[in-house]
């Protein structure tokens, strides 16, 4: 079935602009949607059929979607087979209200052309509310212009699926403790492309990606300020995961924080501009490690520049600067190391 509402929809206290149960294929074409008041979700869709099976295949097209009341989520789709959400912008300005929340058995796609802004807080189940949260049994793709959250544990984007793609062209900003810019978990693959990320809280990583297969992260500018808040943290399987991290600039200024902390089967790191942390980069691989520091780039750590432990080989090509204020500029362990230095090394070096 198809529902088309092109005019702006507005509601007040304890009411939803769209509240639907659909177990078949349903397309909702809406204009702008806004709600006010406590527990006034803008759009809530349940994809169960009459037998209680998750058969709904939901497509939502909308303009600007906003909620202003406490515990009021902008878009929630649950218990469906698949979901596609396309909107101009998302705003949840009431405490405890999430931006987009999707829980489906199959595939999910979220495409927000503009900004996603979420005040944060905790919902009625005492769960943190994220800018965009997707839990999919199949593949999940999330795209957005920018994302902002302000509360503890409120991630900008949180995705769990078999195959994950996250693409945010603008900046992701979080200010709460434990609030990652992007948190992604993929059992088969993870691909993340972000323009910029800023986090302020302790344990609030710029990117935290986990998975058993291929993991790829590309970022232009990441800044984390909290204790233990890594710029990029990748946790892959030490046998199965090919891990690739292409970093323009990542500065982790909090105590104990790494600019990049990555592990997997084979791990590759490319630094284009600047990588900084208590340890600039700490890499662990069951197989090979490859590091490329481009000309003009700087890798600098308070206690160490580059720490690398490989199962087979470590290859380092430095065309920029690898530096440390204390400890080793480069310290490798495990497999044999090949170092090609066409730039500058400041500090002690220990190579296997």
């Amino acid at each position: 079935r198809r529902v088309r509402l092109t005019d702006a929809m507005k509601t007040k206290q304890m009411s939803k602009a769209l509240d639907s149960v659909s177990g078949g294929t349903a397309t909702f074409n809406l204009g702008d949607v806004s709600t006010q008041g406590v527990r006034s979700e803008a759009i809530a869709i349940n994809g169960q059929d009459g037998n209680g099976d998750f058969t709904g295949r939901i497509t939502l097209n909308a303009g600007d979607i906003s909620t202003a009341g406490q515990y009021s989520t902008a878009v929630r789709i649950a218990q469906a087979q698949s979901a596609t959400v396309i909107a101009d912008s998302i705003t949840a300005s009431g405490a405890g209200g999430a931006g987009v929340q999707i829980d489906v058995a199959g595939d999910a796609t979220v495409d927000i052309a503009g900004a996603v802004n979420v005040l944060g807080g905790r919902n009625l189940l005492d769960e943190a509310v994220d800018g965009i949260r997707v839990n999919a049994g199949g593949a999940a793709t999330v795209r957005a212009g920018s994302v902002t959250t302000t509360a503890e544990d409120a991630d900008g984007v949180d995705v769990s699926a078999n195959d994950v793609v996250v693409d945010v062209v603008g900046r992701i900003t979080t200010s709460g403790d434990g609030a990652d810019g992007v948190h992604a978990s993929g059992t088969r693959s993870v691909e993340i492309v972000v323009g910029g990320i800023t986090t302020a809280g302790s344990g609030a990583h710029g990117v935290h990606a986990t998975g058993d297969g291929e993991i790829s992260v590309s970022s232009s500018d990441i800044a984390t300020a909290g204790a233990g808040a890594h710029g990029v943290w990748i946790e892959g399987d030490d046998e199965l995961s090919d891990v690739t991290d292409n970093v323009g600039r990542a500065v982790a200024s909090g105590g104990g924080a790494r600019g990049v902390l990555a592990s997997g089967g084979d791990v590759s790191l490319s630094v284009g501009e600047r990588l900084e942390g208590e340890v600039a980069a700490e890499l662990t691989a069951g197989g090979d490690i490859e590091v490329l520091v481009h000309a003009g780039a700087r890798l600098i750590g308070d206690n160490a520049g580059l720490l690398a432990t490989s199962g087979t080989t470590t290859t380092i090509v430095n065309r920029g600067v690898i530096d440390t204020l204390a400890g080793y500029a480069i310290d490798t362990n495990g497999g044999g190391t090949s170092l090609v230095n066409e730039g500058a090394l400041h500090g002690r070096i220990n190579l296997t």
Side-chain angles (χ1 to χ4, degrees), residues 28 43 45 58-63 65 74-77 82-90 99-104 107-113 132-134 141-144:
F28 300 87
I43 296 169
I45 302 173
I58 310 301
T59 299
L60 170 67
N61 298 287
I65 303 174
V75 177
R76 179 176 58 82
I77 299 176
S82 65
T84 297
V85 175
I86 301 171
D88 291 339
S89 69
I90 300 288
V100 177
Q101 248 180 4
I102 294 180
D103 192 343
V104 295
D107 298 341
T109 298
V110 177
D111 194 340
I112 311 301
I132 299 172
R133 180 189 295 174
V134 177
T141 299
V142 173
R143 301 184 183 91

Side-chain angles (χ1 to χ4, degrees), residues 3-352:
V3 176
R4 182 174 181 84
L5 297 168
T6 57
D7 295 333
M9 302 168 64
K10 297 182 179 181
T11 70
K12 294 185 178 181
Q13 187 99 339
M14 295 288 289
S15 59
K16 300 175 177 66
L18 175 62
D19 187 3
S20 176
V21 177
S22 179
T25 298
T27 299
F28 300 87
N29 295 310
L30 311 178
D32 296 341
V33 182
S34 64
T35 66
Q36 301 178 32
V38 177
R39 300 176 64 182
S40 296
E41 294 180 320
I43 296 169
I45 302 173
N46 186 304
Q48 279 186 306
D49 62 17
N51 297 319
D53 296 324
F54 300 169
T55 59
R57 300 180 183 275
I58 310 301
T59 299
L60 170 67
N61 298 287
D64 299 321
I65 303 174
S66 64
T67 63
Q70 188 177 21
Y71 307 130
S72 299
T73 292
V75 177
R76 179 176 58 82
I77 299 176
Q79 298 178 327
Q81 176 61 34
S82 65
T84 297
V85 175
I86 301 171
D88 291 339
S89 69
I90 300 288
T91 302
S93 57
V100 177
Q101 248 180 4
I102 294 180
D103 192 343
V104 295
D107 298 341
T109 298
V110 177
D111 194 340
I112 311 301
V116 177
N117 294 306
V118 174
L119 175 66
R122 307 190 79 81
N123 63 20
L124 288 169
L125 299 177
D126 197 32
E127 300 169 331
V129 292
D130 303 318
I132 299 172
R133 180 189 295 174
V134 177
N135 182 19
T141 299
V142 173
R143 301 184 183 91
S146 64
V147 183
T148 301
T149 72
T150 62
E152 180 180 355
D153 297 325
D155 297 336
V157 176
D158 185 346
V159 186
S160 177
N162 287 336
D163 298 289
V164 173
V165 175
V166 176
D167 186 354
V168 179
V169 295
R171 182 163 290 275
I172 300 173
T173 303
T174 74
S175 54
D177 291 344
D180 296 342
V182 176
H183 188 278
S185 177
T187 56
R188 285 197 300 247
S189 66
V190 176
E191 180 183 351
I192 299 171
V193 180
V194 289
I197 296 175
T198 301
T199 73
S202 63
H205 313 295
V207 172
H208 186 190
T210 65
D212 297 329
E214 183 175 350
I215 303 174
S216 172
V217 177
S218 297
S219 59
S220 298
D221 182 14
I222 294 177
T224 66
H230 309 309
V232 177
W233 183 11
I234 301 174
E235 297 180 278
D237 184 272
D238 61 4
E239 293 183 357
L240 302 176
S241 294
D242 289 331
V243 171
T244 303
D245 189 11
N246 296 307
V247 178
R249 178 183 179 90
V251 175
S253 57
R258 274 59 175 155
V260 169
L261 178 62
S263 61
D266 294 328
V267 175
S268 174
L269 171 65
S270 174
V271 182
E273 184 179 343
R274 187 177 185 89
L275 186 59
E276 184 174 343
E278 186 168 297
V279 175
E282 183 173 349
L283 313 177
T284 305
D288 300 327
I289 291 176
E290 296 182 356
V291 177
L292 172 60
V293 181
H294 290 271
R298 188 179 185 94
L299 190 153
I300 179 169
D302 294 339
N303 293 334
L306 170 63
L307 303 179
T309 301
S310 67
T312 52
T313 64
T314 297
T315 302
I316 303 167
V317 177
N318 176 41
R319 297 186 177 126
V321 177
I322 300 178
D323 198 355
T324 184
L325 303 180
Y328 288 100
I330 300 175
D331 185 4
T332 67
N333 294 278
T337 299
S338 170
L339 171 62
V340 177
N341 182 37
E342 300 172 357
L345 297 172
H346 299 154
R348 292 179 292 164
I349 297 173
N350 177 51
L351 304 179
T352 53

